[in-house]
Amino acid sequence: MVFISGSGVFVKVAFVGKGGSGKTTLSSLFVRHLAEQRDGHGTRAKVVAIDADINQHLGAALGLDETVAAKIPAMGDHLDDIKNHLRGTNPRITSTTAMVKTTPPGGGSRLLRVGGDDPVHALSHDLDGIMVMATGPFTDEDLGVACYHSKTGAVELYLNHLVDGPDEYVVVDMTAGADTFASGLFTRFDLLFLVAEPTRKGVGVYRQYIEYAKDYDVAISVVGNKVQSAGDVDYLREHVGADLLTWCEQSPAVRAWEQGRDGIALEAHNESALARMREALDARLQERDWAKFSRQAAEFHVKNARSWANRAVGEDLVAQVDPDFVLGPEAVVATSRV
């Protein structure tokens, strides 16, 4: 029997924001910060870092050599294998072709656990215990024939079938701008960190995100970045109010790392900002609602099925929704008994 304890921390977070805001850098700093955490027994937290940005730079930001980062298997290139595994024996999914990015799990589906022995986590690269995954770059061959959502669809399926356990984190570096809201992927997270510079464009993206997310009860916290003065902090507070969680200052340490110089510690204030972000993320554990998570997945799937997927596949994909299925620890236990 597989059993997931109700104690511990298990949360999913995405970094979003406009291009150039520094969200990939902040994502990498936060991933490293999480990977250094220990539980009461001294065991390190499990961390999955997924690069879902159209510009694939998270691996390099985490310290991987660019040639090594480029060789991480692209989730988008293995979408059929991912679908075939997750489909399992679910009778509501007639074929792998009929499984689209929003297809939710149901009875017979295979569920995922962080770092499990499965075809999805097999695509990860181990970096000092961090599981680094990537959707894959948007290539010249994709231009005019595909959208980037065909790449991020693998991440949406992954999160829809994942039951994260104690002291496990999934951190996703999302594509820049409001493109995040082009699918139901933004509802798959316990918290969205919106990285905002203290500029009109920076806070403009915040207003855009709040407007898109207002009907879905999505938690958004603003993390100011590239802050240089108290005036910058005041500007952010004026425009985002209580949603401003913390902020990071311009970092000579990060610049040194980007220049290839090691052994330089991150500034104390920026370390404190990362700790504040972790505290906010861990607090979301108390609000985890698997029934709501499953309901939202079903709602977005029905919406996608009726708007485009039924025509594309040639069958009624609304029938894929299992009304009695709720993702969560109990579903993992039930699956393990099959």
Side-chain angles (χ1 to χ4, degrees), residues 264-323:
I264 301 174
L266 188 65
E267 300 79 17
H269 175 82
N270 290 333
E271 282 284 5
S272 296
L274 296 175
R276 179 71 187 93
M277 293 162 64
R278 175 173 53 81
E279 291 169 0
L281 183 57
D282 290 351
R284 296 297 301 173
L285 172 65
Q286 306 303 321
E287 301 180 37
R288 172 66 66 83
D289 185 342
W290 286 110
K292 171 188 170 184
F293 186 88
S294 301
R295 184 177 65 254
Q296 285 182 328
E299 289 172 353
F300 269 96
H301 178 64
V302 169
K303 180 180 179 181
N304 275 268
R306 290 172 175 166
S307 64
W308 65 270
N310 286 349
R311 293 193 305 274
V313 175
E315 63 179 85
D316 182 13
L317 301 187
V318 174
Q320 292 180 339
V321 175
D322 184 343

CSV table of all heavy atoms in Angstrom, one decimal, residues 264-323:
chain,number,residue,atom,x,y,z
A,264,ILE,N,30.7,33.3,-3.6
A,264,ILE,CA,30.2,34.6,-3.2
A,264,ILE,C,28.8,34.4,-2.6
A,264,ILE,O,28.0,33.8,-3.3
A,264,ILE,CB,30.2,35.6,-4.3
A,264,ILE,CG1,31.6,35.8,-4.8
A,264,ILE,CG2,29.6,36.9,-3.8
A,264,ILE,CD1,31.7,36.7,-6.0
A,265,ALA,N,28.6,34.8,-1.4
A,265,ALA,CA,27.4,34.5,-0.7
A,265,ALA,C,26.3,35.5,-1.1
A,265,ALA,O,26.6,36.7,-1.4
A,265,ALA,CB,27.6,34.6,0.8
A,266,LEU,N,25.1,35.1,-1.2
A,266,LEU,CA,24.0,36.0,-1.5
A,266,LEU,C,23.8,36.9,-0.3
A,266,LEU,O,24.0,36.6,0.8
A,266,LEU,CB,22.7,35.1,-1.7
A,266,LEU,CG,21.5,35.9,-2.2
A,266,LEU,CD1,21.7,36.4,-3.6
A,266,LEU,CD2,20.2,35.0,-2.2
A,267,GLU,N,23.4,38.1,-0.7
A,267,GLU,CA,23.2,39.2,0.3
A,267,GLU,C,22.1,38.8,1.4
A,267,GLU,O,21.2,38.1,1.1
A,267,GLU,CB,22.8,40.5,-0.3
A,267,GLU,CG,23.8,41.0,-1.3
A,267,GLU,CD,23.8,40.3,-2.7
A,267,GLU,OE1,22.7,39.7,-3.0
A,267,GLU,OE2,24.7,40.5,-3.4
A,268,ALA,N,22.3,39.3,2.6
A,268,ALA,CA,21.4,38.9,3.7
A,268,ALA,C,20.0,39.2,3.4
A,268,ALA,O,19.1,38.5,3.7
A,268,ALA,CB,21.9,39.5,5.0
A,269,HIS,N,19.8,40.4,2.9
A,269,HIS,CA,18.4,40.8,2.6
A,269,HIS,C,17.7,39.9,1.6
A,269,HIS,O,16.5,39.5,1.8
A,269,HIS,CB,18.3,42.3,2.1
A,269,HIS,CG,16.9,42.6,1.7
A,269,HIS,ND1,15.9,43.1,2.7
A,269,HIS,CD2,16.2,42.6,0.5
A,269,HIS,CE1,14.8,43.3,2.1
A,269,HIS,NE2,14.9,43.0,0.8
A,270,ASN,N,18.5,39.5,0.6
A,270,ASN,CA,17.9,38.7,-0.4
A,270,ASN,C,17.7,37.3,0.1
A,270,ASN,O,16.7,36.6,-0.3
A,270,ASN,CB,18.8,38.6,-1.7
A,270,ASN,CG,18.8,40.0,-2.4
A,270,ASN,OD1,17.8,40.7,-2.4
A,270,ASN,ND2,19.8,40.3,-3.1
A,271,GLU,N,18.5,36.8,1.0
A,271,GLU,CA,18.3,35.5,1.7
A,271,GLU,C,17.0,35.6,2.5
A,271,GLU,O,16.2,34.6,2.5
A,271,GLU,CB,19.5,35.2,2.5
A,271,GLU,CG,20.7,34.6,1.8
A,271,GLU,CD,20.5,33.2,1.4
A,271,GLU,OE1,19.4,32.6,1.5
A,271,GLU,OE2,21.5,32.6,0.8
A,272,SER,N,16.8,36.7,3.2
A,272,SER,CA,15.6,36.8,4.0
A,272,SER,C,14.4,36.9,3.1
A,272,SER,O,13.3,36.3,3.5
A,272,SER,CB,15.7,38.1,4.8
A,272,SER,OG,16.8,38.1,5.7
A,273,ALA,N,14.5,37.5,1.9
A,273,ALA,CA,13.3,37.5,1.0
A,273,ALA,C,13.0,36.1,0.6
A,273,ALA,O,11.8,35.7,0.5
A,273,ALA,CB,13.7,38.4,-0.2
A,274,LEU,N,13.9,35.3,0.3
A,274,LEU,CA,13.7,33.9,-0.1
A,274,LEU,C,13.0,33.1,1.0
A,274,LEU,O,12.1,32.3,0.8
A,274,LEU,CB,15.0,33.2,-0.5
A,274,LEU,CG,15.7,33.7,-1.8
A,274,LEU,CD1,17.0,33.0,-2.0
A,274,LEU,CD2,14.8,33.6,-3.0
A,275,ALA,N,13.5,33.4,2.3
A,275,ALA,CA,12.9,32.7,3.4
A,275,ALA,C,11.4,33.1,3.6
A,275,ALA,O,10.6,32.3,3.9
A,275,ALA,CB,13.7,33.0,4.7
A,276,ARG,N,11.2,34.4,3.4
A,276,ARG,CA,9.8,34.9,3.5
A,276,ARG,C,8.9,34.2,2.4
A,276,ARG,O,7.7,33.9,2.7
A,276,ARG,CB,9.8,36.4,3.3
A,276,ARG,CG,8.4,37.0,3.4
A,276,ARG,CD,7.8,37.0,4.8
A,276,ARG,NE,6.4,37.4,4.8
A,276,ARG,CZ,5.4,36.6,4.7
A,276,ARG,NH1,5.6,35.3,4.6
A,276,ARG,NH2,4.2,37.1,4.8
A,277,MET,N,9.4,34.0,1.2
A,277,MET,CA,8.7,33.4,0.2
A,277,MET,C,8.4,31.9,0.5
A,277,MET,O,7.3,31.5,0.3
A,277,MET,CB,9.5,33.5,-1.1
A,277,MET,CG,9.6,34.9,-1.7
A,277,MET,SD,10.9,35.1,-2.9
A,277,MET,CE,10.3,34.0,-4.2
A,278,ARG,N,9.4,31.3,1.1
A,278,ARG,CA,9.1,29.9,1.5
A,278,ARG,C,8.1,29.8,2.6
A,278,ARG,O,7.2,28.9,2.6
A,278,ARG,CB,10.4,29.2,2.0
A,278,ARG,CG,10.2,27.8,2.6
A,278,ARG,CD,11.6,27.2,2.9
A,278,ARG,NE,12.4,28.0,3.8
A,278,ARG,CZ,12.3,28.1,5.1
A,278,ARG,NH1,11.4,27.4,5.7
A,278,ARG,NH2,13.1,28.8,5.8
A,279,GLU,N,8.1,30.7,3.6
A,279,GLU,CA,7.1,30.7,4.6
A,279,GLU,C,5.7,30.9,4.1
A,279,GLU,O,4.7,30.3,4.5
A,279,GLU,CB,7.4,31.8,5.6
A,279,GLU,CG,8.7,31.6,6.5
A,279,GLU,CD,9.1,32.8,7.2
A,279,GLU,OE1,8.4,33.9,7.1
A,279,GLU,OE2,10.1,32.8,7.9
A,280,ALA,N,5.6,31.8,3.1
A,280,ALA,CA,4.3,32.1,2.5
A,280,ALA,C,3.8,30.8,1.7
A,280,ALA,O,2.6,30.5,1.7
A,280,ALA,CB,4.4,33.3,1.5
A,281,LEU,N,4.7,30.2,1.1
A,281,LEU,CA,4.4,29.0,0.3
A,281,LEU,C,3.9,27.8,1.2
A,281,LEU,O,2.9,27.2,1.0
A,281,LEU,CB,5.5,28.5,-0.6
A,281,LEU,CG,5.3,27.3,-1.5
A,281,LEU,CD1,4.1,27.5,-2.4
A,281,LEU,CD2,6.6,27.0,-2.3
A,282,ASP,N,4.7,27.6,2.3
A,282,ASP,CA,4.4,26.6,3.2
A,282,ASP,C,3.0,26.8,3.9
A,282,ASP,O,2.3,25.9,4.2
A,282,ASP,CB,5.5,26.5,4.3
A,282,ASP,CG,6.8,25.9,3.8
A,282,ASP,OD1,6.8,25.5,2.6
A,282,ASP,OD2,7.8,26.0,4.5
A,283,ALA,N,2.7,28.1,4.1
A,283,ALA,CA,1.4,28.4,4.7
A,283,ALA,C,0.2,28.0,3.9
A,283,ALA,O,-0.9,27.7,4.4
A,283,ALA,CB,1.3,29.9,5.0
A,284,ARG,N,0.4,27.9,2.6
A,284,ARG,CA,-0.6,27.5,1.7
A,284,ARG,C,-1.1,26.0,1.9
A,284,ARG,O,-2.1,25.6,1.5
A,284,ARG,CB,-0.2,27.6,0.2
A,284,ARG,CG,0.1,29.0,-0.2
A,284,ARG,CD,-1.1,29.9,-0.1
A,284,ARG,NE,-2.2,29.4,-1.0
A,284,ARG,CZ,-3.4,29.9,-1.0
A,284,ARG,NH1,-3.7,31.0,-0.2
A,284,ARG,NH2,-4.4,29.4,-1.7
A,285,LEU,N,-0.2,25.2,2.6
A,285,LEU,CA,-0.5,23.8,2.9
A,285,LEU,C,-1.8,23.7,3.6
A,285,LEU,O,-2.6,22.8,3.4
A,285,LEU,CB,0.6,23.2,3.7
A,285,LEU,CG,0.3,21.8,4.3
A,285,LEU,CD1,0.2,20.8,3.1
A,285,LEU,CD2,1.5,21.4,5.2
A,286,GLN,N,-2.1,24.7,4.5
A,286,GLN,CA,-3.3,24.6,5.3
A,286,GLN,C,-4.6,24.8,4.4
A,286,GLN,O,-5.7,24.5,4.9
A,286,GLN,CB,-3.2,25.7,6.4
A,286,GLN,CG,-2.0,25.6,7.2
A,286,GLN,CD,-1.8,24.3,7.9
A,286,GLN,OE1,-2.8,23.7,8.4
A,286,GLN,NE2,-0.6,23.8,8.0
A,287,GLU,N,-4.4,25.3,3.2
A,287,GLU,CA,-5.5,25.7,2.4
A,287,GLU,C,-5.7,24.7,1.2
A,287,GLU,O,-6.5,24.9,0.3
A,287,GLU,CB,-5.4,27.1,1.9
A,287,GLU,CG,-5.4,28.1,3.0
A,287,GLU,CD,-5.3,29.5,2.5
A,287,GLU,OE1,-5.9,29.8,1.5
A,287,GLU,OE2,-4.6,30.3,3.1
A,288,ARG,N,-4.9,23.6,1.2
A,288,ARG,CA,-5.0,22.7,0.1
A,288,ARG,C,-6.3,22.0,0.1
A,288,ARG,O,-6.8,21.5,1.1
A,288,ARG,CB,-3.9,21.6,0.3
A,288,ARG,CG,-3.9,20.4,-0.7
A,288,ARG,CD,-3.7,20.8,-2.1
A,288,ARG,NE,-2.4,21.3,-2.4
A,288,ARG,CZ,-1.3,20.5,-2.6
A,288,ARG,NH1,-1.5,19.2,-2.5
A,288,ARG,NH2,-0.1,21.0,-2.8
A,289,ASP,N,-7.0,22.0,-1.1
A,289,ASP,CA,-8.3,21.5,-1.2
A,289,ASP,C,-8.3,20.6,-2.5
A,289,ASP,O,-8.4,21.1,-3.6
A,289,ASP,CB,-9.3,22.6,-1.4
A,289,ASP,CG,-10.8,22.2,-1.4
A,289,ASP,OD1,-11.0,21.0,-1.7
A,289,ASP,OD2,-11.7,23.0,-1.2
A,290,TRP,N,-8.1,19.3,-2.3
A,290,TRP,CA,-8.0,18.4,-3.4
A,290,TRP,C,-9.3,18.4,-4.2
A,290,TRP,O,-9.3,18.2,-5.5
A,290,TRP,CB,-7.7,17.0,-3.0
A,290,TRP,CG,-6.3,16.9,-2.5
A,290,TRP,CD1,-5.8,16.7,-1.2
A,290,TRP,CD2,-5.1,16.9,-3.4
A,290,TRP,NE1,-4.4,16.6,-1.2
A,290,TRP,CE2,-4.0,16.7,-2.5
A,290,TRP,CE3,-4.9,17.1,-4.7
A,290,TRP,CZ2,-2.6,16.7,-3.0
A,290,TRP,CZ3,-3.6,17.0,-5.2
A,290,TRP,CH2,-2.5,16.9,-4.3
A,291,ALA,N,-10.5,18.5,-3.6
A,291,ALA,CA,-11.8,18.5,-4.3
A,291,ALA,C,-11.9,19.7,-5.2
A,291,ALA,O,-12.3,19.6,-6.4
A,291,ALA,CB,-12.9,18.5,-3.3
A,292,LYS,N,-11.5,20.9,-4.8
A,292,LYS,CA,-11.5,22.1,-5.6
A,292,LYS,C,-10.5,21.9,-6.7
A,292,LYS,O,-10.8,22.3,-7.9
A,292,LYS,CB,-11.1,23.3,-4.7
A,292,LYS,CG,-10.9,24.5,-5.6
A,292,LYS,CD,-10.3,25.7,-4.7
A,292,LYS,CE,-9.9,26.8,-5.5
A,292,LYS,NZ,-9.2,27.9,-4.7
A,293,PHE,N,-9.3,21.4,-6.5
A,293,PHE,CA,-8.3,21.2,-7.5
A,293,PHE,C,-8.8,20.3,-8.6
A,293,PHE,O,-8.7,20.6,-9.8
A,293,PHE,CB,-7.0,20.5,-6.8
A,293,PHE,CG,-5.9,20.4,-7.7
A,293,PHE,CD1,-4.9,21.4,-7.8
A,293,PHE,CD2,-5.6,19.2,-8.4
A,293,PHE,CE1,-3.8,21.2,-8.6
A,293,PHE,CE2,-4.5,19.0,-9.3
A,293,PHE,CZ,-3.6,20.1,-9.4
A,294,SER,N,-9.5,19.2,-8.2
A,294,SER,CA,-10.1,18.3,-9.2
A,294,SER,C,-11.2,18.9,-9.9
A,294,SER,O,-11.4,18.7,-11.2
A,294,SER,CB,-10.5,17.0,-8.5
A,294,SER,OG,-9.5,16.4,-7.8
A,295,ARG,N,-12.0,19.7,-9.3
A,295,ARG,CA,-13.2,20.3,-9.9
A,295,ARG,C,-12.7,21.3,-11.0
A,295,ARG,O,-13.3,21.4,-12.1
A,295,ARG,CB,-14.0,21.0,-8.8
A,295,ARG,CG,-15.3,21.6,-9.4
A,295,ARG,CD,-16.2,22.3,-8.3
A,295,ARG,NE,-15.5,23.4,-7.7
A,295,ARG,CZ,-15.0,23.3,-6.4
A,295,ARG,NH1,-15.0,22.2,-5.8
A,295,ARG,NH2,-14.4,24.4,-5.9
A,296,GLN,N,-11.7,22.1,-10.6
A,296,GLN,CA,-11.2,23.1,-11.6
A,296,GLN,C,-10.6,22.4,-12.8
A,296,GLN,O,-10.8,22.9,-13.9
A,296,GLN,CB,-10.1,24.0,-10.9
A,296,GLN,CG,-10.6,25.0,-10.0
A,296,GLN,CD,-9.6,25.9,-9.4
A,296,GLN,OE1,-8.4,25.4,-9.2
A,296,GLN,NE2,-9.9,27.1,-9.1
A,297,ALA,N,-9.9,21.3,-12.6
A,297,ALA,CA,-9.3,20.5,-13.7
A,297,ALA,C,-10.5,20.1,-14.6
A,297,ALA,O,-10.3,20.2,-15.9
A,297,ALA,CB,-8.5,19.3,-13.2
A,298,ALA,N,-11.5,19.6,-14.1
A,298,ALA,CA,-12.7,19.1,-14.9
A,298,ALA,C,-13.3,20.2,-15.6
A,298,ALA,O,-13.7,20.1,-16.8
A,298,ALA,CB,-13.7,18.4,-14.0
A,299,GLU,N,-13.5,21.4,-15.0
A,299,GLU,CA,-14.1,22.5,-15.6
A,299,GLU,C,-13.3,23.1,-16.8
A,299,GLU,O,-13.9,23.4,-17.8
A,299,GLU,CB,-14.3,23.6,-14.5
A,299,GLU,CG,-15.4,23.3,-13.5
A,299,GLU,CD,-15.4,24.4,-12.4
A,299,GLU,OE1,-14.5,25.2,-12.3
A,299,GLU,OE2,-16.3,24.3,-11.5
A,300,PHE,N,-12.0,23.1,-16.6
A,300,PHE,CA,-11.2,23.6,-17.7
A,300,PHE,C,-11.2,22.6,-18.9
A,300,PHE,O,-11.1,23.0,-20.1
A,300,PHE,CB,-9.8,23.9,-17.3
A,300,PHE,CG,-9.6,25.3,-16.8
A,300,PHE,CD1,-9.6,25.7,-15.5
A,300,PHE,CD2,-9.3,26.3,-17.8
A,300,PHE,CE1,-9.5,27.0,-15.1
A,300,PHE,CE2,-9.2,27.7,-17.4
A,300,PHE,CZ,-9.3,28.0,-16.0
A,301,HIS,N,-11.2,21.3,-18.5
A,301,HIS,CA,-11.2,20.3,-19.6
A,301,HIS,C,-12.5,20.4,-20.4
A,301,HIS,O,-12.5,20.3,-21.6
A,301,HIS,CB,-11.1,18.9,-19.0
A,301,HIS,CG,-11.2,17.8,-20.0
A,301,HIS,ND1,-10.2,17.7,-21.0
A,301,HIS,CD2,-12.1,16.8,-20.2
A,301,HIS,CE1,-10.5,16.7,-21.8
A,301,HIS,NE2,-11.7,16.1,-21.3
A,302,VAL,N,-13.6,20.6,-19.7
A,302,VAL,CA,-14.9,20.7,-20.4
A,302,VAL,C,-14.9,21.9,-21.3
A,302,VAL,O,-15.4,21.9,-22.5
A,302,VAL,CB,-16.1,20.8,-19.4
A,302,VAL,CG1,-17.4,21.1,-20.1
A,302,VAL,CG2,-16.2,19.4,-18.7
A,303,LYS,N,-14.4,23.0,-20.8
A,303,LYS,CA,-14.3,24.2,-21.6
A,303,LYS,C,-13.4,24.0,-22.8
A,303,LYS,O,-13.8,24.4,-23.9
A,303,LYS,CB,-13.7,25.4,-20.7
A,303,LYS,CG,-13.6,26.7,-21.4
A,303,LYS,CD,-13.0,27.7,-20.5
A,303,LYS,CE,-12.8,29.1,-21.2
A,303,LYS,NZ,-12.2,30.1,-20.3
A,304,ASN,N,-12.3,23.4,-22.7
A,304,ASN,CA,-11.4,23.1,-23.8
A,304,ASN,C,-12.0,22.2,-24.8
A,304,ASN,O,-11.9,22.3,-26.0
A,304,ASN,CB,-10.1,22.6,-23.3
A,304,ASN,CG,-9.1,23.7,-22.9
A,304,ASN,OD1,-8.3,24.2,-23.8
A,304,ASN,ND2,-9.2,24.1,-21.7
A,305,ALA,N,-12.7,21.1,-24.3
A,305,ALA,CA,-13.3,20.1,-25.1
A,305,ALA,C,-14.3,20.8,-26.0
A,305,ALA,O,-14.4,20.5,-27.3
A,305,ALA,CB,-14.0,19.0,-24.3
A,306,ARG,N,-15.2,21.6,-25.5
A,306,ARG,CA,-16.3,22.2,-26.2
A,306,ARG,C,-15.8,23.3,-27.2
A,306,ARG,O,-16.4,23.6,-28.2
A,306,ARG,CB,-17.3,22.8,-25.3
A,306,ARG,CG,-18.1,21.7,-24.6
A,306,ARG,CD,-19.0,22.2,-23.5
A,306,ARG,NE,-19.8,21.1,-22.9
A,306,ARG,CZ,-20.5,21.2,-21.8
A,306,ARG,NH1,-20.5,22.3,-21.1
A,306,ARG,NH2,-21.2,20.2,-21.4
A,307,SER,N,-14.7,24.0,-26.8
A,307,SER,CA,-14.2,25.1,-27.7
A,307,SER,C,-13.3,24.6,-28.9
A,307,SER,O,-13.4,25.2,-29.9
A,307,SER,CB,-13.4,26.1,-26.8
A,307,SER,OG,-12.2,25.5,-26.3
A,308,TRP,N,-12.5,23.6,-28.7
A,308,TRP,CA,-11.7,23.1,-29.8
A,308,TRP,C,-11.3,21.6,-29.8
A,308,TRP,O,-11.2,21.0,-30.8
A,308,TRP,CB,-10.3,23.9,-29.7
A,308,TRP,CG,-9.5,23.6,-28.5
A,308,TRP,CD1,-9.5,24.3,-27.3
A,308,TRP,CD2,-8.5,22.6,-28.3
A,308,TRP,NE1,-8.6,23.7,-26.4
A,308,TRP,CE2,-8.0,22.7,-27.0
A,308,TRP,CE3,-8.0,21.6,-29.2
A,308,TRP,CZ2,-7.0,21.8,-26.5
A,308,TRP,CZ3,-7.1,20.7,-28.7
A,308,TRP,CH2,-6.6,20.9,-27.4
A,309,ALA,N,-11.2,21.0,-28.6
A,309,ALA,CA,-10.6,19.7,-28.6
A,309,ALA,C,-11.6,18.6,-29.2
A,309,ALA,O,-11.1,17.7,-29.8
A,309,ALA,CB,-10.3,19.3,-27.1
A,310,ASN,N,-12.9,18.8,-29.0
A,310,ASN,CA,-13.8,17.8,-29.6
A,310,ASN,C,-13.7,17.8,-31.1
A,310,ASN,O,-13.7,16.7,-31.7
A,310,ASN,CB,-15.3,18.1,-29.2
A,310,ASN,CG,-15.6,17.8,-27.8
A,310,ASN,OD1,-14.9,17.1,-27.1
A,310,ASN,ND2,-16.8,18.3,-27.3
A,311,ARG,N,-13.6,18.9,-31.7
A,311,ARG,CA,-13.4,19.0,-33.2
A,311,ARG,C,-12.1,18.4,-33.6
A,311,ARG,O,-12.0,17.7,-34.6
A,311,ARG,CB,-13.5,20.5,-33.6
A,311,ARG,CG,-14.9,21.1,-33.5
A,311,ARG,CD,-15.0,22.4,-34.3
A,311,ARG,NE,-13.9,23.3,-33.9
A,311,ARG,CZ,-14.0,24.2,-32.9
A,311,ARG,NH1,-15.1,24.2,-32.1
A,311,ARG,NH2,-13.0,25.0,-32.6
A,312,ALA,N,-11.0,18.7,-32.8
A,312,ALA,CA,-9.7,18.3,-33.2
A,312,ALA,C,-9.5,16.8,-33.1
A,312,ALA,O,-8.9,16.2,-34.0
A,312,ALA,CB,-8.6,19.0,-32.3
A,313,VAL,N,-10.2,16.2,-32.1
A,313,VAL,CA,-10.0,14.7,-31.9
A,313,VAL,C,-11.1,13.9,-32.6
A,313,VAL,O,-10.9,12.8,-33.0
A,313,VAL,CB,-10.0,14.4,-30.4
A,313,VAL,CG1,-10.0,12.9,-30.1
A,313,VAL,CG2,-8.9,15.1,-29.7
A,314,GLY,N,-12.3,14.5,-32.7
A,314,GLY,CA,-13.4,13.8,-33.4
A,314,GLY,C,-14.2,13.0,-32.5
A,314,GLY,O,-14.9,12.1,-33.0
A,315,GLU,N,-14.3,13.3,-31.2
A,315,GLU,CA,-15.1,12.7,-30.3
A,315,GLU,C,-15.4,13.6,-29.1
A,315,GLU,O,-14.8,14.6,-28.9
A,315,GLU,CB,-14.5,11.4,-29.8
A,315,GLU,CG,-13.3,11.5,-29.0
A,315,GLU,CD,-12.7,10.2,-28.5
A,315,GLU,OE1,-12.0,9.5,-29.3
A,315,GLU,OE2,-13.0,9.8,-27.3
A,316,ASP,N,-16.4,13.2,-28.3
A,316,ASP,CA,-16.8,14.1,-27.2
A,316,ASP,C,-15.9,13.8,-26.0
A,316,ASP,O,-16.1,12.8,-25.3
A,316,ASP,CB,-18.3,13.8,-26.8
A,316,ASP,CG,-18.8,14.6,-25.7
A,316,ASP,OD1,-18.1,15.6,-25.4
A,316,ASP,OD2,-19.8,14.3,-25.1
A,317,LEU,N,-15.0,14.7,-25.8
A,317,LEU,CA,-14.0,14.5,-24.7
A,317,LEU,C,-14.6,14.9,-23.3
A,317,LEU,O,-13.9,14.7,-22.3
A,317,LEU,CB,-12.8,15.4,-25.0
A,317,LEU,CG,-12.1,15.0,-26.3
A,317,LEU,CD1,-10.7,15.8,-26.4
A,317,LEU,CD2,-11.8,13.5,-26.4
A,318,VAL,N,-15.8,15.5,-23.3
A,318,VAL,CA,-16.4,15.8,-22.0
A,318,VAL,C,-16.6,14.5,-21.3
A,318,VAL,O,-16.6,14.4,-20.0
A,318,VAL,CB,-17.7,16.5,-22.2
A,318,VAL,CG1,-18.5,16.7,-20.9
A,318,VAL,CG2,-17.5,17.9,-22.8
A,319,ALA,N,-16.8,13.4,-22.0
A,319,ALA,CA,-17.0,12.1,-21.4
A,319,ALA,C,-15.8,11.6,-20.7
A,319,ALA,O,-15.9,10.6,-19.9
A,319,ALA,CB,-17.5,11.1,-22.5
A,320,GLN,N,-14.7,12.2,-20.8
A,320,GLN,CA,-13.5,11.8,-20.1
A,320,GLN,C,-13.5,12.1,-18.6
A,320,GLN,O,-12.7,11.6,-17.8
A,320,GLN,CB,-12.2,12.4,-20.7
A,320,GLN,CG,-11.9,11.9,-22.1
A,320,GLN,CD,-10.7,12.5,-22.7
A,320,GLN,OE1,-10.3,13.6,-22.3
A,320,GLN,NE2,-10.1,11.9,-23.7
A,321,VAL,N,-14.4,13.1,-18.2
A,321,VAL,CA,-14.5,13.5,-16.8
A,321,VAL,C,-15.1,12.4,-16.0
A,321,VAL,O,-16.2,11.9,-16.3
A,321,VAL,CB,-15.2,14.8,-16.7
A,321,VAL,CG1,-15.4,15.2,-15.2
A,321,VAL,CG2,-14.5,15.9,-17.4
A,322,ASP,N,-14.4,11.9,-15.0
A,322,ASP,CA,-14.9,11.0,-14.0
A,322,ASP,C,-15.5,11.7,-12.8
A,322,ASP,O,-14.8,12.3,-12.0
A,322,ASP,CB,-13.8,10.1,-13.6
A,322,ASP,CG,-14.3,8.9,-12.6
A,322,ASP,OD1,-15.4,9.1,-12.1
A,322,ASP,OD2,-13.5,8.0,-12.4
A,323,PRO,N,-16.8,11.8,-12.7
A,323,PRO,CA,-17.4,12.7,-11.7
A,323,PRO,C,-17.2,12.2,-10.3
A,323,PRO,O,-17.3,13.0,-9.3
A,323,PRO,CB,-18.9,12.6,-12.0
A,323,PRO,CG,-19.1,11.3,-12.8
A,323,PRO,CD,-17.8,11.1,-13.6
